[in-house]
Amino acid sequence: MIQHILHITHVSKHFGGNVAVSDVSFSVDEKEIFGLIGPNGAGKTTLFNCMTGFFPVTSGDIIFDSKKINTLRPDQICRLGMVRTWQRVKPLGSLTVLENVMIGAFSITNATGEANIMAMEQLHAVGLSDYATKPAGSLPIGLKKKLELARVLASRPKMLLLDEICGGLNHTETDSILAIIRAVRNSGTTIVFIEHDMKAVTSICDRIVVLNSGEKLAEGTPEEITTNPAVIAAYLGGGHHA
Ligand SMILES: Nc1ncnc2c1ncn2[C@@H]1O[C@H](COP(=O)(O)OP(=O)(O)OP(=O)(O)O)[C@@H](O)[C@H]1O
Ligand SMILES: [Mg+2]
């Protein structure tokens, strides 16, 4: 039986007269890698902000792990097991790589020793063990993205929301991030993946939702999405994406 871990039901988000997300509904299965794509300004990041409690929804409901979460605070949602990365990664540059990941671990433990061990495990998982004592600000962008992954993984999430984790990376760096994401999913974590790089999206996602001007334009497998005429017209045919 398919187990849904997330239900987005008729979610809208207005900023004054600007409708950023408009009546969007979809469900994500447990252990799925689920893609959220669409043109710049389509509402992808706004939906993440609503899911993680940074913005209240204007209407609709968000159900995670059988609980309605759209009235909860970000820290409460994080403790329920849903965590997100940021489109612009901003590690605390003067802290070490290890300390940045320990901040993630502190969301589930108060013990420094335990947080240290959990953080080192995640640095190992993303291949950053050798950088543990370096200032986070000294890392190049490709490694900052891995640090961002280690930070969120340290809270041992049930669901990981990735906002353009491959943005600004070259092919080798992207492949290395995709390998980590696959391993995370194989260990039992569900993933929602916002990304403009269609090669990355189609190679890793089980299913995809396309947003356009805040509305759901299509939902389906990578093959269904890449051959959908409405998606090609609104997004894939366009050429230039950030
Ligand atoms: N805090 C905010 N206040 C007002 N308007 C906002 C805010 N955040 C987003 N918006 C608006 O909501 C719409 C959707 O923006 P959003 O950032 O969600 O798009 P996106 O799909 O993530 O785009 P991109 O691919 O460029 O990251 C845009 O019109 C944007 O200007
Ligand atoms: Mg965005």
PDB file of all heavy atoms in Angstrom, residues 89-123:
ATOM      1  N   VAL A  89      22.697  29.435   0.070  1.00  0.00           N
ATOM      2  CA  VAL A  89      23.271  28.849   1.289  1.00  0.00           C
ATOM      3  C   VAL A  89      24.107  29.893   2.013  1.00  0.00           C
ATOM      4  O   VAL A  89      24.902  30.602   1.409  1.00  0.00           O
ATOM      5  CB  VAL A  89      24.108  27.579   0.997  1.00  0.00           C
ATOM      6  CG1 VAL A  89      23.215  26.461   0.518  1.00  0.00           C
ATOM      7  CG2 VAL A  89      25.220  27.837   0.012  1.00  0.00           C
ATOM      8  N   LYS A  90      23.873  30.023   3.309  1.00  0.00           N
ATOM      9  CA  LYS A  90      24.614  30.993   4.115  1.00  0.00           C
ATOM     10  C   LYS A  90      25.080  30.334   5.401  1.00  0.00           C
ATOM     11  O   LYS A  90      24.459  30.512   6.453  1.00  0.00           O
ATOM     12  CB  LYS A  90      23.705  32.175   4.468  1.00  0.00           C
ATOM     13  CG  LYS A  90      23.439  33.115   3.323  1.00  0.00           C
ATOM     14  CD  LYS A  90      22.645  34.324   3.824  1.00  0.00           C
ATOM     15  CE  LYS A  90      21.896  34.978   2.682  1.00  0.00           C
ATOM     16  NZ  LYS A  90      20.522  35.330   3.031  1.00  0.00           N
ATOM     17  N   PRO A  91      26.151  29.536   5.345  1.00  0.00           N
ATOM     18  CA  PRO A  91      26.659  28.975   6.596  1.00  0.00           C
ATOM     19  C   PRO A  91      27.185  30.094   7.481  1.00  0.00           C
ATOM     20  O   PRO A  91      27.481  31.177   6.982  1.00  0.00           O
ATOM     21  CB  PRO A  91      27.794  28.056   6.149  1.00  0.00           C
ATOM     22  CG  PRO A  91      28.203  28.558   4.812  1.00  0.00           C
ATOM     23  CD  PRO A  91      26.980  29.178   4.193  1.00  0.00           C
ATOM     24  N   LEU A  92      27.258  29.848   8.779  1.00  0.00           N
ATOM     25  CA  LEU A  92      27.854  30.830   9.676  1.00  0.00           C
ATOM     26  C   LEU A  92      29.358  30.770   9.428  1.00  0.00           C
ATOM     27  O   LEU A  92      30.051  29.869   9.901  1.00  0.00           O
ATOM     28  CB  LEU A  92      27.472  30.507  11.116  1.00  0.00           C
ATOM     29  CG  LEU A  92      25.942  30.600  11.344  1.00  0.00           C
ATOM     30  CD1 LEU A  92      25.542  29.980  12.672  1.00  0.00           C
ATOM     31  CD2 LEU A  92      25.472  32.039  11.236  1.00  0.00           C
ATOM     32  N   GLY A  93      29.849  31.730   8.636  1.00  0.00           N
ATOM     33  CA  GLY A  93      31.180  31.658   8.049  1.00  0.00           C
ATOM     34  C   GLY A  93      32.330  31.625   9.033  1.00  0.00           C
ATOM     35  O   GLY A  93      33.375  31.044   8.753  1.00  0.00           O
ATOM     36  N   SER A  94      32.138  32.247  10.220  1.00  0.00           N
ATOM     37  CA  SER A  94      33.253  32.288  11.164  1.00  0.00           C
ATOM     38  C   SER A  94      33.287  31.022  12.028  1.00  0.00           C
ATOM     39  O   SER A  94      34.300  30.736  12.671  1.00  0.00           O
ATOM     40  CB  SER A  94      33.157  33.532  12.048  1.00  0.00           C
ATOM     41  OG  SER A  94      31.936  33.507  12.731  1.00  0.00           O
ATOM     42  N   LEU A  95      32.190  30.262  12.044  1.00  0.00           N
ATOM     43  CA  LEU A  95      32.213  28.977  12.756  1.00  0.00           C
ATOM     44  C   LEU A  95      32.861  27.930  11.851  1.00  0.00           C
ATOM     45  O   LEU A  95      32.909  28.088  10.631  1.00  0.00           O
ATOM     46  CB  LEU A  95      30.797  28.528  13.112  1.00  0.00           C
ATOM     47  CG  LEU A  95      29.990  29.402  14.074  1.00  0.00           C
ATOM     48  CD1 LEU A  95      28.676  28.698  14.443  1.00  0.00           C
ATOM     49  CD2 LEU A  95      30.782  29.726  15.327  1.00  0.00           C
ATOM     50  N   THR A  96      33.315  26.836  12.478  1.00  0.00           N
ATOM     51  CA  THR A  96      33.898  25.771  11.665  1.00  0.00           C
ATOM     52  C   THR A  96      32.790  24.997  10.954  1.00  0.00           C
ATOM     53  O   THR A  96      31.604  25.103  11.294  1.00  0.00           O
ATOM     54  CB  THR A  96      34.696  24.776  12.523  1.00  0.00           C
ATOM     55  OG1 THR A  96      33.779  24.097  13.377  1.00  0.00           O
ATOM     56  CG2 THR A  96      35.784  25.465  13.343  1.00  0.00           C
ATOM     57  N   VAL A  97      33.230  24.199   9.989  1.00  0.00           N
ATOM     58  CA  VAL A  97      32.330  23.307   9.265  1.00  0.00           C
ATOM     59  C   VAL A  97      31.610  22.400  10.274  1.00  0.00           C
ATOM     60  O   VAL A  97      30.379  22.259  10.249  1.00  0.00           O
ATOM     61  CB  VAL A  97      33.153  22.497   8.237  1.00  0.00           C
ATOM     62  CG1 VAL A  97      32.368  21.325   7.685  1.00  0.00           C
ATOM     63  CG2 VAL A  97      33.624  23.424   7.111  1.00  0.00           C
ATOM     64  N   LEU A  98      32.355  21.827  11.195  1.00  0.00           N
ATOM     65  CA  LEU A  98      31.765  20.927  12.198  1.00  0.00           C
ATOM     66  C   LEU A  98      30.723  21.660  13.044  1.00  0.00           C
ATOM     67  O   LEU A  98      29.621  21.154  13.275  1.00  0.00           O
ATOM     68  CB  LEU A  98      32.863  20.344  13.098  1.00  0.00           C
ATOM     69  CG  LEU A  98      32.372  19.478  14.255  1.00  0.00           C
ATOM     70  CD1 LEU A  98      31.657  18.222  13.749  1.00  0.00           C
ATOM     71  CD2 LEU A  98      33.541  19.067  15.167  1.00  0.00           C
ATOM     72  N   GLU A  99      31.068  22.870  13.498  1.00  0.00           N
ATOM     73  CA  GLU A  99      30.130  23.623  14.352  1.00  0.00           C
ATOM     74  C   GLU A  99      28.824  23.936  13.617  1.00  0.00           C
ATOM     75  O   GLU A  99      27.741  23.863  14.202  1.00  0.00           O
ATOM     76  CB  GLU A  99      30.789  24.923  14.847  1.00  0.00           C
ATOM     77  CG  GLU A  99      31.816  24.677  15.942  1.00  0.00           C
ATOM     78  CD  GLU A  99      32.784  25.834  16.144  1.00  0.00           C
ATOM     79  OE1 GLU A  99      32.873  26.737  15.285  1.00  0.00           O
ATOM     80  OE2 GLU A  99      33.478  25.816  17.167  1.00  0.00           O
ATOM     81  N   ASN A 100      28.923  24.245  12.325  1.00  0.00           N
ATOM     82  CA  ASN A 100      27.708  24.501  11.548  1.00  0.00           C
ATOM     83  C   ASN A 100      26.804  23.273  11.528  1.00  0.00           C
ATOM     84  O   ASN A 100      25.582  23.387  11.617  1.00  0.00           O
ATOM     85  CB  ASN A 100      28.060  24.900  10.108  1.00  0.00           C
ATOM     86  CG  ASN A 100      28.215  26.400   9.937  1.00  0.00           C
ATOM     87  OD1 ASN A 100      27.239  27.097   9.686  1.00  0.00           O
ATOM     88  ND2 ASN A 100      29.428  26.890  10.103  1.00  0.00           N
ATOM     89  N   VAL A 101      27.391  22.087  11.387  1.00  0.00           N
ATOM     90  CA  VAL A 101      26.590  20.870  11.329  1.00  0.00           C
ATOM     91  C   VAL A 101      26.061  20.519  12.729  1.00  0.00           C
ATOM     92  O   VAL A 101      24.945  20.006  12.869  1.00  0.00           O
ATOM     93  CB  VAL A 101      27.402  19.712  10.713  1.00  0.00           C
ATOM     94  CG1 VAL A 101      26.564  18.441  10.626  1.00  0.00           C
ATOM     95  CG2 VAL A 101      27.885  20.103   9.324  1.00  0.00           C
ATOM     96  N   MET A 102      26.833  20.859  13.757  1.00  0.00           N
ATOM     97  CA  MET A 102      26.360  20.619  15.127  1.00  0.00           C
ATOM     98  C   MET A 102      25.087  21.427  15.415  1.00  0.00           C
ATOM     99  O   MET A 102      24.214  20.976  16.155  1.00  0.00           O
ATOM    100  CB  MET A 102      27.448  20.966  16.148  1.00  0.00           C
ATOM    101  CG  MET A 102      28.537  19.896  16.214  1.00  0.00           C
ATOM    102  SD  MET A 102      29.913  20.368  17.279  1.00  0.00           S
ATOM    103  CE  MET A 102      29.179  20.279  18.911  1.00  0.00           C
ATOM    104  N   ILE A 103      24.969  22.602  14.796  1.00  0.00           N
ATOM    105  CA  ILE A 103      23.748  23.404  14.981  1.00  0.00           C
ATOM    106  C   ILE A 103      22.528  22.592  14.525  1.00  0.00           C
ATOM    107  O   ILE A 103      21.491  22.597  15.180  1.00  0.00           O
ATOM    108  CB  ILE A 103      23.848  24.740  14.206  1.00  0.00           C
ATOM    109  CG1 ILE A 103      24.909  25.615  14.883  1.00  0.00           C
ATOM    110  CG2 ILE A 103      22.501  25.445  14.138  1.00  0.00           C
ATOM    111  CD1 ILE A 103      25.267  26.868  14.104  1.00  0.00           C
ATOM    112  N   GLY A 104      22.673  21.872  13.412  1.00  0.00           N
ATOM    113  CA  GLY A 104      21.587  20.988  12.954  1.00  0.00           C
ATOM    114  C   GLY A 104      21.304  19.900  13.976  1.00  0.00           C
ATOM    115  O   GLY A 104      20.153  19.610  14.302  1.00  0.00           O
ATOM    116  N   ALA A 105      22.363  19.312  14.502  1.00  0.00           N
ATOM    117  CA  ALA A 105      22.203  18.214  15.475  1.00  0.00           C
ATOM    118  C   ALA A 105      21.551  18.708  16.766  1.00  0.00           C
ATOM    119  O   ALA A 105      20.821  17.962  17.428  1.00  0.00           O
ATOM    120  CB  ALA A 105      23.572  17.589  15.767  1.00  0.00           C
ATOM    121  N   PHE A 106      21.798  19.975  17.135  1.00  0.00           N
ATOM    122  CA  PHE A 106      21.215  20.515  18.379  1.00  0.00           C
ATOM    123  C   PHE A 106      19.694  20.621  18.305  1.00  0.00           C
ATOM    124  O   PHE A 106      19.063  20.835  19.324  1.00  0.00           O
ATOM    125  CB  PHE A 106      21.831  21.877  18.720  1.00  0.00           C
ATOM    126  CG  PHE A 106      23.171  21.786  19.398  1.00  0.00           C
ATOM    127  CD1 PHE A 106      24.244  22.545  18.961  1.00  0.00           C
ATOM    128  CD2 PHE A 106      23.354  20.931  20.487  1.00  0.00           C
ATOM    129  CE1 PHE A 106      25.488  22.455  19.585  1.00  0.00           C
ATOM    130  CE2 PHE A 106      24.591  20.836  21.115  1.00  0.00           C
ATOM    131  CZ  PHE A 106      25.655  21.599  20.662  1.00  0.00           C
ATOM    132  N   SER A 107      19.121  20.446  17.115  1.00  0.00           N
ATOM    133  CA  SER A 107      17.658  20.469  17.076  1.00  0.00           C
ATOM    134  C   SER A 107      17.080  19.156  17.616  1.00  0.00           C
ATOM    135  O   SER A 107      15.893  19.080  17.905  1.00  0.00           O
ATOM    136  CB  SER A 107      17.142  20.764  15.667  1.00  0.00           C
ATOM    137  OG  SER A 107      17.424  19.683  14.816  1.00  0.00           O
ATOM    138  N   ILE A 108      17.904  18.122  17.779  1.00  0.00           N
ATOM    139  CA  ILE A 108      17.372  16.882  18.367  1.00  0.00           C
ATOM    140  C   ILE A 108      18.138  16.419  19.607  1.00  0.00           C
ATOM    141  O   ILE A 108      17.751  15.439  20.236  1.00  0.00           O
ATOM    142  CB  ILE A 108      17.282  15.718  17.342  1.00  0.00           C
ATOM    143  CG1 ILE A 108      18.618  15.455  16.667  1.00  0.00           C
ATOM    144  CG2 ILE A 108      16.196  15.972  16.320  1.00  0.00           C
ATOM    145  CD1 ILE A 108      18.642  14.134  15.918  1.00  0.00           C
ATOM    146  N   THR A 109      19.217  17.092  19.985  1.00  0.00           N
ATOM    147  CA  THR A 109      19.903  16.746  21.241  1.00  0.00           C
ATOM    148  C   THR A 109      20.447  18.016  21.890  1.00  0.00           C
ATOM    149  O   THR A 109      20.788  18.969  21.187  1.00  0.00           O
ATOM    150  CB  THR A 109      21.060  15.750  21.015  1.00  0.00           C
ATOM    151  OG1 THR A 109      21.700  15.497  22.279  1.00  0.00           O
ATOM    152  CG2 THR A 109      22.110  16.286  20.050  1.00  0.00           C
ATOM    153  N   ASN A 110      20.514  18.015  23.236  1.00  0.00           N
ATOM    154  CA  ASN A 110      21.128  19.141  23.935  1.00  0.00           C
ATOM    155  C   ASN A 110      22.566  18.835  24.337  1.00  0.00           C
ATOM    156  O   ASN A 110      23.278  19.705  24.823  1.00  0.00           O
ATOM    157  CB  ASN A 110      20.336  19.482  25.209  1.00  0.00           C
ATOM    158  CG  ASN A 110      18.981  20.047  24.859  1.00  0.00           C
ATOM    159  OD1 ASN A 110      18.854  20.787  23.894  1.00  0.00           O
ATOM    160  ND2 ASN A 110      17.966  19.661  25.621  1.00  0.00           N
ATOM    161  N   ALA A 111      22.989  17.565  24.151  1.00  0.00           N
ATOM    162  CA  ALA A 111      24.307  17.143  24.630  1.00  0.00           C
ATOM    163  C   ALA A 111      25.372  17.448  23.570  1.00  0.00           C
ATOM    164  O   ALA A 111      25.294  16.973  22.430  1.00  0.00           O
ATOM    165  CB  ALA A 111      24.284  15.644  24.933  1.00  0.00           C
ATOM    166  N   THR A 112      26.376  18.231  23.940  1.00  0.00           N
ATOM    167  CA  THR A 112      27.410  18.651  22.989  1.00  0.00           C
ATOM    168  C   THR A 112      28.172  17.462  22.408  1.00  0.00           C
ATOM    169  O   THR A 112      28.431  17.401  21.202  1.00  0.00           O
ATOM    170  CB  THR A 112      28.401  19.612  23.680  1.00  0.00           C
ATOM    171  OG1 THR A 112      27.646  20.660  24.284  1.00  0.00           O
ATOM    172  CG2 THR A 112      29.379  20.206  22.683  1.00  0.00           C
ATOM    173  N   GLY A 113      28.513  16.493  23.265  1.00  0.00           N
ATOM    174  CA  GLY A 113      29.274  15.332  22.803  1.00  0.00           C
ATOM    175  C   GLY A 113      28.506  14.551  21.753  1.00  0.00           C
ATOM    176  O   GLY A 113      29.056  14.151  20.722  1.00  0.00           O
ATOM    177  N   GLU A 114      27.216  14.372  22.027  1.00  0.00           N
ATOM    178  CA  GLU A 114      26.374  13.623  21.101  1.00  0.00           C
ATOM    179  C   GLU A 114      26.218  14.397  19.780  1.00  0.00           C
ATOM    180  O   GLU A 114      26.298  13.813  18.688  1.00  0.00           O
ATOM    181  CB  GLU A 114      24.997  13.394  21.739  1.00  0.00           C
ATOM    182  CG  GLU A 114      24.180  12.330  21.032  1.00  0.00           C
ATOM    183  CD  GLU A 114      22.795  12.174  21.652  1.00  0.00           C
ATOM    184  OE1 GLU A 114      22.511  12.831  22.686  1.00  0.00           O
ATOM    185  OE2 GLU A 114      22.011  11.404  21.110  1.00  0.00           O
ATOM    186  N   ALA A 115      26.028  15.709  19.903  1.00  0.00           N
ATOM    187  CA  ALA A 115      25.887  16.543  18.698  1.00  0.00           C
ATOM    188  C   ALA A 115      27.161  16.460  17.852  1.00  0.00           C
ATOM    189  O   ALA A 115      27.107  16.385  16.618  1.00  0.00           O
ATOM    190  CB  ALA A 115      25.604  17.995  19.086  1.00  0.00           C
ATOM    191  N   ASN A 116      28.310  16.444  18.536  1.00  0.00           N
ATOM    192  CA  ASN A 116      29.591  16.343  17.852  1.00  0.00           C
ATOM    193  C   ASN A 116      29.670  15.032  17.053  1.00  0.00           C
ATOM    194  O   ASN A 116      30.048  15.020  15.870  1.00  0.00           O
ATOM    195  CB  ASN A 116      30.703  16.418  18.909  1.00  0.00           C
ATOM    196  CG  ASN A 116      32.063  16.590  18.291  1.00  0.00           C
ATOM    197  OD1 ASN A 116      32.440  15.812  17.428  1.00  0.00           O
ATOM    198  ND2 ASN A 116      32.803  17.606  18.722  1.00  0.00           N
ATOM    199  N   ILE A 117      29.283  13.928  17.695  1.00  0.00           N
ATOM    200  CA  ILE A 117      29.345  12.622  17.025  1.00  0.00           C
ATOM    201  C   ILE A 117      28.387  12.582  15.829  1.00  0.00           C
ATOM    202  O   ILE A 117      28.741  12.143  14.723  1.00  0.00           O
ATOM    203  CB  ILE A 117      29.008  11.489  18.021  1.00  0.00           C
ATOM    204  CG1 ILE A 117      30.143  11.360  19.049  1.00  0.00           C
ATOM    205  CG2 ILE A 117      28.769  10.162  17.305  1.00  0.00           C
ATOM    206  CD1 ILE A 117      29.786  10.521  20.256  1.00  0.00           C
ATOM    207  N   MET A 118      27.148  13.089  16.053  1.00  0.00           N
ATOM    208  CA  MET A 118      26.157  13.077  14.974  1.00  0.00           C
ATOM    209  C   MET A 118      26.623  13.943  13.804  1.00  0.00           C
ATOM    210  O   MET A 118      26.443  13.582  12.630  1.00  0.00           O
ATOM    211  CB  MET A 118      24.802  13.577  15.503  1.00  0.00           C
ATOM    212  CG  MET A 118      24.167  12.593  16.453  1.00  0.00           C
ATOM    213  SD  MET A 118      22.861  13.343  17.437  1.00  0.00           S
ATOM    214  CE  MET A 118      21.692  13.689  16.196  1.00  0.00           C
ATOM    215  N   ALA A 119      27.239  15.087  14.123  1.00  0.00           N
ATOM    216  CA  ALA A 119      27.712  15.991  13.070  1.00  0.00           C
ATOM    217  C   ALA A 119      28.857  15.348  12.288  1.00  0.00           C
ATOM    218  O   ALA A 119      28.899  15.418  11.055  1.00  0.00           O
ATOM    219  CB  ALA A 119      28.141  17.323  13.681  1.00  0.00           C
ATOM    220  N   MET A 120      29.784  14.687  12.993  1.00  0.00           N
ATOM    221  CA  MET A 120      30.903  14.033  12.297  1.00  0.00           C
ATOM    222  C   MET A 120      30.383  12.934  11.365  1.00  0.00           C
ATOM    223  O   MET A 120      30.904  12.753  10.261  1.00  0.00           O
ATOM    224  CB  MET A 120      31.908  13.453  13.299  1.00  0.00           C
ATOM    225  CG  MET A 120      32.881  14.469  13.889  1.00  0.00           C
ATOM    226  SD  MET A 120      33.758  15.542  12.698  1.00  0.00           S
ATOM    227  CE  MET A 120      34.724  14.360  11.774  1.00  0.00           C
ATOM    228  N   GLU A 121      29.344  12.196  11.822  1.00  0.00           N
ATOM    229  CA  GLU A 121      28.745  11.150  10.968  1.00  0.00           C
ATOM    230  C   GLU A 121      28.257  11.753   9.657  1.00  0.00           C
ATOM    231  O   GLU A 121      28.480  11.194   8.574  1.00  0.00           O
ATOM    232  CB  GLU A 121      27.525  10.530  11.667  1.00  0.00           C
ATOM    233  CG  GLU A 121      27.851   9.376  12.590  1.00  0.00           C
ATOM    234  CD  GLU A 121      26.620   8.975  13.414  1.00  0.00           C
ATOM    235  OE1 GLU A 121      25.485   9.314  13.024  1.00  0.00           O
ATOM    236  OE2 GLU A 121      26.822   8.351  14.461  1.00  0.00           O
ATOM    237  N   GLN A 122      27.595  12.892   9.762  1.00  0.00           N
ATOM    238  CA  GLN A 122      27.032  13.499   8.551  1.00  0.00           C
ATOM    239  C   GLN A 122      28.126  14.107   7.669  1.00  0.00           C
ATOM    240  O   GLN A 122      28.027  14.056   6.443  1.00  0.00           O
ATOM    241  CB  GLN A 122      25.962  14.545   8.903  1.00  0.00           C
ATOM    242  CG  GLN A 122      24.734  13.947   9.566  1.00  0.00           C
ATOM    243  CD  GLN A 122      24.164  12.751   8.816  1.00  0.00           C
ATOM    244  OE1 GLN A 122      24.233  12.667   7.588  1.00  0.00           O
ATOM    245  NE2 GLN A 122      23.618  11.797   9.547  1.00  0.00           N
ATOM    246  N   LEU A 123      29.163  14.664   8.296  1.00  0.00           N
ATOM    247  CA  LEU A 123      30.284  15.179   7.490  1.00  0.00           C
ATOM    248  C   LEU A 123      30.920  14.041   6.711  1.00  0.00           C
ATOM    249  O   LEU A 123      31.293  14.188   5.545  1.00  0.00           O
ATOM    250  CB  LEU A 123      31.321  15.868   8.383  1.00  0.00           C
ATOM    251  CG  LEU A 123      30.910  17.249   8.902  1.00  0.00           C
ATOM    252  CD1 LEU A 123      31.996  17.829   9.803  1.00  0.00           C
ATOM    253  CD2 LEU A 123      30.632  18.201   7.738  1.00  0.00           C
TER     254      LEU A 123
END
